[in-house]
């Protein structure tokens, strides 16, 4: 939740993350200088560093979400290499349970205007396994309230809709889909009994007579 970091805290963050890759104080000082002098960051008068543009934060949020969903496209895992030529490790592990995602993927509503850029980036980062994994995630959200899963299921449904996934004969009953985006979705054969749809975008969605 913090959008800036004071320059005095940066060396500790570097040491904590890279650990044994840093051989001594001289190397730590060099890394610290390199990080602070990059054009990705800017410094205010109080010595706090933040991203130079909000799009950078949006990119890294999307990267984190896709990695934690276990759906990060291979291209994004093979862009940067260590000195020995090995691909850099993404510092996020897939989170298998909805409760594990409540403070990351489930914390922010992807359908909100403020998340529009992040959502677009996230869609482009997802690999071909995303559809199957998102449906499995939604299944794990069944019979769980907003306090325990946040926007996890709603965000997953929004992504599926944006990806063009079919909702034919899918079971969304007893799933909290608050503030999700189902705009234009064909829900005529979708089970929606007791689904939480407060704030959901259902414009131009199709429903069967027995669902009305």
């Amino acid at each position: 939740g913090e959008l800036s970091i004071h320059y005095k805290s940066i060396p500790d963050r570097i040491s904590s993350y890279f650990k044994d890759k840093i051989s001594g104080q001289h190397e730590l000082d060099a890394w610290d200088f390199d990080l602070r002098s990059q054009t990705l960051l800017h410094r205010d008068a109080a010595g706090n560093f933040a991203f130079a543009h909000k799009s950078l934060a949006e990119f890294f949020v999307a990267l984190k979400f896709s990695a934690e969903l276990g759906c990060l496209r291979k291209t994004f895992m093979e862009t940067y290499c260590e000195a020995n030529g090995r691909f850099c490790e993404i510092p996020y592990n897939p989170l298998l349970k909805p409760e594990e995602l409540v403070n990351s993927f489930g914390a922010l509503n992807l359908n909100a205007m403020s998340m529009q850029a992040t959502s677009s980036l996230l869609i482009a980062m997802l690999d071909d396994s995303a559809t199957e994994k998102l449906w499995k995630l939604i299944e794990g959200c069944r019979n769980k309230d907003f306090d325990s899963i946040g926007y996890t299921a709603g965000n997953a449904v929004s992504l599926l809709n944006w990806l063009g996934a079919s909702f034919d004969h899918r079971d969304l009953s007893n799933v909290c889909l608050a503030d999700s985006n189902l705009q234009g979705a064909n829900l005529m054969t979708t089970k929606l009994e007791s689904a939480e749809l407060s704030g959901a975008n259902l414009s131009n969605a199709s429903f069967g007579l027995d669902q009305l």
Side-chain angles (χ1 to χ4, degrees):
E2 299 178 11
L3 298 180
S4 64
I5 180 174
H6 194 265
Y7 76 92
K8 290 183 179 179
S9 300
I10 292 177
D12 290 338
R13 294 291 185 92
I14 294 174
S15 296
S16 175
Y17 181 78
F18 291 103
K19 299 178 182 176
D20 57 348
K21 293 184 179 180
I22 301 172
S23 58
Q25 185 63 43
H26 176 74
E27 189 169 350
L28 176 60
D29 291 343
W31 284 39
D32 178 29
F33 176 79
D34 284 347
L35 178 61
R36 288 187 286 109
S37 62
Q38 295 299 318
T39 55
L40 291 176
L41 305 175
H42 70 77
R43 173 179 171 165
D44 63 19
N48 296 305
F49 282 82
F51 285 120
H53 193 274
K54 68 175 184 177
S55 62
L56 294 166
E58 291 164 342
F59 173 85
F60 287 115
V61 169
L63 183 76
K64 182 178 190 289
F65 285 178
S66 53
E68 289 181 341
L69 289 170
C71 305
L72 182 60
R73 193 179 292 274
K74 191 176 181 180
T75 302
F76 294 92
M77 294 188 287
E78 298 181 351
T79 299
Y80 301 104
C81 294
E82 303 283 3
N84 61 7
R86 295 181 62 183
F87 294 123
C88 295
E89 293 184 14
I90 299 296
Y92 308 112
N93 296 316
L95 303 177
L96 303 179
K97 298 179 180 179
E99 293 85 356
E100 296 175 327
L101 289 163
V102 68
N103 292 318
S104 57
F105 179 72
L108 303 167
N109 175 18
L110 292 181
N111 195 38
M113 285 297 295
S114 60
M115 294 295 289
Q116 187 172 15
T118 300
S119 298
S120 297
L121 288 165
L122 177 55
I123 292 168
M125 291 181 182
L126 297 176
D127 65 18
D128 293 338
S129 71
T131 298
E132 179 181 352
K133 289 180 179 177
L134 288 170
W135 280 121
K136 187 174 182 179
L137 177 61
I138 292 169
E139 181 62 33
C141 292
R142 195 182 312 282
N143 298 314
K144 296 176 181 176
D145 59 18
F146 185 84
D147 289 339
S148 61
I149 65 169
Y151 294 106
T152 301
N155 284 344
V157 161
S158 296
L159 284 176
L160 285 167
N161 194 31
W162 293 328
L163 290 168
S166 172
F167 289 86
D168 283 351
H169 300 288
R170 290 290 186 174
D171 187 357
L172 296 176
S173 59
N174 297 293
V175 178
C176 180
L177 303 175
D179 297 305
S180 59
N181 189 313
L182 285 164
Q183 183 178 12
N186 184 349
L187 305 172
M188 295 186 70
T189 60
T190 307
K191 292 185 64 176
L192 293 167
E193 289 84 359
S194 299
E196 172 58 69
L197 291 167
S198 59
N201 183 351
L202 300 170
S203 60
N204 297 319
S206 301
F207 295 91
L209 293 176
D210 59 340
Q211 295 172 301
L212 301 177

